[in-house]
Each structure stands twice: as structure tokens, then as C-alpha cells.
Amino acid sequence: MISSPDLLAADTGMGAVTLRVADLDAMIRYYRDAVTLDLLSQHGDVAVLGRGDVPVVILQHAPELKHAAPRSAGLYHTAILFDSREALAAALYSVATKAPGTFTGSADHKVSIAFYFTDPEGNGVELYWDRDRTEWSWLHGQIEMTTLYVDPNGFLQQNLTTETAERAVTAGAPRFGAASVGHVHLSVGDTATAKEFYVKRLGFESTFEIPGSALFISAGKYHHHMAMNTWESAGAGRRGLALGLAEVDIHVPTPDDLGSLQERLTHYATPFADDGRSLSIEDPWGSTLKVAVAQ
């Protein structure tokens, strides 16, 4: 398949999300012990958590910073994708056992089943599993998604075995299944500006849109790699340095894909930094995106 110079490559995917945090130890405990990620490395004030060799969340200790003002732009949630219903159930059971007060909701979106949480410093977290693409429906170029209630207890009863439950809450036990960042959802000031930046300039495709309210975008016809909404941030301007979102990583397949993005950004006079391995770009609200070739 020949790639369009105006689009990101179909095999583009999401990398880790970096968060600035006030209490590094507490945040490590949440993502390791409750969400069931592994602590892949910790050097000084930076901890990397993920599964296998795949980083999911990078925590940067920044206790000198404050939380952003209410209704600011920034992170809505980091969505962690599990490779099976069983793996998702194990993570859900672990959070329910070790941090039950962080649960905020659940949904069947037709393309996926998702459970929502807020970490100890107010960052949104989604844990989800995708239905097979053959079960997704498209209508007039938009993915058909909805929000139906999912009973968390019913989901656990159907998908969690005694062995899996024990492994999920036992310190040091092997994790069940693979996990990665499936998508990242941002709070923005307005969706028209978001569409101009993320679709026209970066090269994502719009997959679902609620005009004036929410925009879902992807590469390669995934349901969404990123989303932007104004539900809590309508009219927000640029976000100053604060706790919370520091950076979103995006991975393209080849150096040529990175070069195409660089040409597109240059064409649209969009500022970026190039360190020879990655491009760093700020969106209109000050959220930093780092685009690099997948390893």
C-alpha cells in the first residue's frame, strides 16, 4: 500500500505517556500494584512502568510544581490496551482490590470494553480491550461507537478465574497478558483548532466527531489513537508548566515516515524540535508530542 504524503503511516501507534508527579512513590505504587504494570526502570526522579519491554507510563518527579487550574487543557486519560478480556479482568480486579476509590465508570463502546479510573494525582486512566476489527462498523467514513453500561462485577464473573485473580493481586507474580498505550485522550479548548492541527498538520484521519464537543482520530483506520474533547475545558488556552501531562509519544514505522511528517510541519510553518531521532511538537494548548521511529 502506498502511503499518502498527507497522512501518517497506517502502522503508526502510540508510545508511552509521560506524567509530572508530586509523589513519585505513591504513583509508582498505583500503576504497579493496582493497575498491574511492571516497574521497568527507575533512575533518580524518573520511573518507567509497562509490560515486558513496552513502556506505558513514565513518571517524572516534579514536587515543585502545582496542579493546573480547573478546566485547563491537558490529559483527559491515558488508555491502556490489554490483549484479552482475561488480562483486562485481571487488571480491573487488581484496581478494585487495591484502589477501589479510584474507579469512575465503565462502558461498552461497541469497538471496545472500557473501565475508567482517576489516579492519585487526578490523571484519568482507561483500561480497555478491543473487539476484533471484523466486528467494527463504519458508516459514511465514521466508526460506529456508542456508550453502553457495563457491569464491572458481571465482567469479572465472566472473565476472571481464581488463578488469574490471585496472580493479579500477588506482589511479584507474573503479569497476565500484554499491555500498551492504545490511545490518548486530551482536553482541549476547541475541536475545530484541534482538527486543523492533528488532522491537517500531523496527518491523522478523523474517525468520529461530535461537532464542537469531541474529535476522534487515528492512523490506519484504528477506531482512535487520539481523541480531544471540550467537556471540561471549553475555551481553554495554553497550559503552563504544571503537574500532569508532560509528553505523549507517537511511533511511526520508518525514518521516511518521520521525514514526511517533518516536511508537512515545515510546509504548514508548524514549529518543531529535531534531535536527530525524534520530532517534538507542541499542540495549540501546549501539550508536547514526541514522534519517533518505532524500535
Side-chain angles (χ1 to χ4, degrees):
M1 180 182 295
I2 299 174
S3 298
S4 166
D6 297 326
L7 296 176
L8 289 167
D11 290 337
T12 297
M14 304 307 294
V17 171
T18 301
L19 303 174
R20 299 186 186 98
V21 304
D23 188 333
L24 182 60
D25 290 340
M27 291 288 275
I28 289 173
R29 286 194 299 271
Y30 182 78
Y31 283 97
R32 181 191 61 201
D33 301 341
V35 177
T36 70
L37 299 178
D38 295 317
L39 181 60
L40 303 183
S41 67
Q42 184 175 0
H43 300 288
D45 290 341
V46 179
V48 180
L49 295 103
R51 284 279 181 92
D53 60 354
V54 179
V56 171
V57 177
I58 300 173
L59 305 176
Q60 294 181 346
H61 195 210
E64 73 281 4
L65 298 180
K66 299 183 181 300
H67 289 284
R71 306 193 67 81
S72 293
L75 182 67
Y76 190 71
H77 62 235
T78 300
I80 302 172
L81 174 64
F82 292 86
D83 63 354
S84 67
R85 286 176 178 260
E86 293 79 11
L88 174 58
L92 173 62
Y93 179 75
S94 178
V95 182
T97 302
K98 298 186 176 182
T102 66
F103 177 75
T104 58
S106 60
D108 182 339
H109 292 303
K110 293 185 74 173
V111 296
S112 63
I113 294 177
F115 299 92
Y116 297 94
F117 307 85
T118 301
D119 76 18
E121 296 195 5
N123 302 290
V125 182
E126 175 184 340
L127 309 180
Y128 79 110
W129 163 81
D130 274 337
R131 288 191 169 88
D132 191 86
R133 288 192 183 214
T134 59
E135 299 181 52
W136 302 356
S137 297
W138 294 80
L139 182 64
H140 306 305
Q142 288 208 115
I143 189 78
E144 291 193 296
M145 293 193 295
T146 189
T147 299
L148 304 172
Y149 175 69
V150 174
D151 176 14
N153 291 317
F155 183 83
L156 291 176
Q157 289 172 358
Q158 294 171 7
N159 297 287
L160 190 70
T161 65
T162 301
E163 177 189 357
T164 304
E166 290 177 354
R167 280 175 55 181
V169 297
T170 301
R175 303 307 194 184
F176 189 83
S180 60
V181 175
H183 63 268
V184 177
H185 200 142
L186 301 177
S187 296
V188 299
D190 72 276
T191 56
T193 301
K195 189 171 186 177
E196 197 275 342
F197 177 81
Y198 282 95
V199 174
K200 183 177 180 180
R201 299 185 181 218
L202 258 60
F204 284 103
E205 294 181 274
S206 173
T207 59
F208 186 79
E209 189 170 0
I210 305 172
S213 177
L215 172 69
F216 296 76
I217 60 176
S218 82
K221 299 299 182 183
Y222 186 54
H223 53 72
H224 65 295
H225 284 112
M226 297 193 73
M228 301 89 208
N229 74 63
T230 61
W231 302 330
E232 299 172 359
S233 57
R238 287 181 65 86
R239 181 172 178 268
L241 187 62
L243 294 170
L245 182 64
E247 185 176 85
V248 174
D249 287 359
I250 299 171
H251 295 158
V252 295
T254 71
D256 286 345
D257 297 314
L258 195 63
S260 294
L261 174 60
Q262 183 170 347
E263 291 175 5
R264 198 157 54 247
L265 294 171
T266 300
H267 173 75
Y268 287 110
T270 302
F272 62 89
D274 179 4
D275 65 4
R277 300 181 305 276
S278 63
L279 304 179
S280 292
I281 313 119
E282 284 193 355
D283 81 359
W285 297 275
S287 294
T288 300
L289 314 170
K290 185 177 78 175
V291 186
V293 177
Q295 299 299 310

